[in-house]
């Protein structure tokens, strides 16, 4: 998946359908250094919560998420 920031940065992540959104945030933290508690992710105009999974949010290969601070 691709995570796009308001600053114009694009982050490519390799995630599994069973990964939680919390895990996705940890991968973003590992790449950018941004603490997970400051990250707000959205997909298809919906805010994502930590307990949801990638598959549960219908996030597939090639999907783009929006990262807000």
């Amino acid at each position: 998946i691709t995570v796009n920031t308001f600053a114009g940065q694009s982050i490519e992540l390799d995630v599994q359908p069973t990964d939680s959104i919390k895990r996705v945030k940890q991968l973003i933290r590992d790449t950018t250094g941004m603490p997970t508690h400051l990250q707000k992710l959205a997909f298809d105009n919906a805010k994502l919560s930590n307990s949801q999974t990638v598959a549960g949010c219908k996030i597939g290969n090639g999907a783009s998420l929006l990262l807000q601070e």
Side-chain angles (χ1 to χ4, degrees), residues 7-65:
Q9 182 181 13
S10 293
I11 305 161
E12 297 290 331
L13 297 177
D14 183 24
V15 299
Q16 301 301 314
T18 55
D19 285 346
S20 66
I21 297 304
K22 182 176 183 177
R23 175 68 182 136
V24 174
K25 289 180 177 183
Q26 291 168 340
L27 293 170
I28 294 168
R29 180 202 58 212
D30 294 347
T31 302
T32 68
M34 179 189 298
T36 57
H37 70 278
L38 298 179
Q39 299 175 31
K40 294 180 180 70
L41 287 174
F43 175 67
D44 200 23
N45 294 318
K47 183 180 174 187
L48 306 178
S49 66
N50 288 341
S51 62
Q52 293 175 289
T53 64
V54 170
C57 297
K58 298 186 179 7
I59 299 169
N61 289 338
S64 294
L65 307 182

